[in-house]
Amino acid sequence: AAIDKVYGGPEVHEQVEGNRLTVKGDGAGALVYTWAPDDRGATDPTALANRAWILSSIAGVPARALASLFVDSHGPVSGTDGCVDLDGTAQVARGALTISGVPRQPSSSCTGAAGEQATTIDSFLNQKPALWSVRGGKLLVYGGGAQAFTLVYETGKPPSTFPSSAPNPAALVGPTWTLSSIETRSAGSVSSEGNSDYGITLAFARNGTFALHTKCIGSAGTVTVHGSTVQFTNVHGTGSNFCLSQQAEQSRKVLDGTVDWKIDNGELRLTKGATTLIFGS
C-alpha cells in the first residue's frame, strides 16, 4: 500500500546518492532502495584490490592524461587523477567503494582537458560510496547511479584509446629510461653528444611521480601529461652536488616545467628550449 501511494501520486521524484535510490511522492513519503550487486564475482573486493589500474576512458571518451588508481587491501589508496596525487584510505565492500583523501577539485595549475578529466574523476571517487565492478578485466566506476556513465580502468596493459595525434602517456611508465645523448640546437644547426656511461636514469611511476637519478644529485617530483607535453612540478633535488656533471645539470634544468615529449623507435625524447634529452629503455 505504501509503495502504491508513492507511485500513485501526481508526481514522483527520484534521487540517487551513492548506493541508495530515494523515491518520493508528493505528500506520500519516501521509498529508499539500496543497491545490491547481483554478480558476486564482478564485485568481489579481491578483484579490485592490490592492482594498478590505469584510466582508459570516461563515459566512452578516451582518457586525455595519465590517471591511475591503486587500492591496497589493507586500506591505503594511491594514484593520480591526472593533475594531483591521490593519497588516502578506502573501505571496500561488494560493489561499493568509500575513499577519503580524494581532492575536491584539481590544482588551479591543471587546466584544459586534463583539468576537466581530473574534475570528473574526483567527483566519481568522492561518492560515498562509489559503485564499482570488474568485468572483462576492466574496473568500472559508475557515476550518479547511471551505469552507462562510467570511469573505465584497465590493468596489465597501457590504454589503447588515447588519440592517435598525441603520444600515449602510459608508455612512459614502467621502463627505466637511461640517458644516451643530448642534442643542442643553435643558429639553425644541431649538435649532439652521446655517452653510454652518463649514469643518468629517469623513471615515471604509476602514481604520477618521477625520479631522475645521476651519479650524484638528481631530481624528483610530480608529473602530468597533456597530450604531447609533460609538466614537471614540485621538483626538488635528491642526493648531493659534490660531483654534479654538466650532463646531470642539463638534465635537471630540462626536467622542470613544461617539456615536449615523444617516443620514437624505443627512444624517449624530451625537449625544452634548445635542448633535447634522448633516453633509451
Side-chain angles (χ1 to χ4, degrees):
I3 296 176
D4 292 340
K5 188 175 181 180
V6 170
Y7 283 104
E11 192 169 353
V12 177
H13 307 276
E14 296 182 349
Q15 180 180 359
V16 176
E17 184 175 359
N19 63 343
R20 291 179 180 271
L21 168 65
T22 302
V23 181
K24 296 181 179 180
D26 289 344
L31 304 173
V32 179
Y33 299 87
T34 301
W35 179 64
D38 59 359
D39 187 339
R40 295 182 65 82
T43 55
D44 186 338
T46 61
L48 166 67
N50 300 327
R51 297 185 182 184
W53 298 99
I54 300 176
L55 186 72
S56 60
S57 66
I58 300 176
V61 178
R64 301 305 300 271
L66 178 60
S68 61
L69 180 66
F70 184 91
V71 179
D72 189 283
S73 58
H74 299 291
V77 173
S78 59
T80 175
D81 63 8
C83 286
V84 298
D85 290 348
L86 306 179
D87 183 13
T89 58
Q91 295 178 333
V92 184
R94 284 194 174 275
L97 178 65
T98 302
I99 303 179
S100 64
V102 177
R104 290 294 174 182
Q105 58 186 21
S107 167
S108 58
S109 63
C110 188
T111 59
E116 293 175 4
Q117 173 180 290
T119 298
T120 302
I121 292 172
D122 296 346
S123 68
F124 273 59
L125 298 184
N126 271 315
Q127 297 178 95
K128 306 298 182 186
L131 306 184
W132 66 273
S133 67
V134 175
R135 301 178 185 275
K138 298 180 180 181
L139 169 62
L140 311 178
V141 180
Y142 307 114
Q147 294 191 2
F149 188 30
T150 59
L151 303 180
V152 179
Y153 291 86
E154 299 185 34
T155 187
K157 63 178 182 178
S160 59
T161 52
F162 283 88
S164 59
S165 59
N168 186 340
L172 291 171
V173 180
T176 296
W177 301 97
T178 301
L179 185 67
S180 59
S181 60
I182 300 175
E183 292 182 354
T184 304
R185 294 186 302 279
S186 178
S189 63
V190 178
S191 61
S192 177
E193 62 167 299
N195 191 324
S196 60
D197 194 32
Y198 284 138
I200 298 174
T201 62
L202 176 63
F204 297 90
R206 294 186 187 276
N207 65 356
T209 62
F210 80 96
L212 174 73
H213 294 288
T214 73
K215 293 181 178 179
C216 44
I217 192 168
S219 296
T222 56
V223 62
T224 305
V225 179
H226 304 277
S228 59
T229 65
V230 58
Q231 186 175 24
F232 295 87
T233 55
N234 303 316
V235 179
H236 57 276
T238 60
S240 61
N241 61 3
F242 70 93
C243 63
L244 184 62
S245 67
Q246 177 183 351
Q247 293 77 25
E249 185 174 11
Q250 284 181 289
S251 299
R252 293 182 64 223
K253 287 182 178 180
V254 169
L255 303 184
D256 191 356
T258 301
V259 180
D260 294 324
W261 76 282
K262 67 177 180 178
I263 295 177
D264 188 14
N265 293 323
E267 291 184 332
L268 169 62
R269 301 176 65 91
L270 298 172
T271 302
K272 183 179 182 181
T275 304
T276 297
L277 306 178
I278 302 174
F279 294 83
S281 59

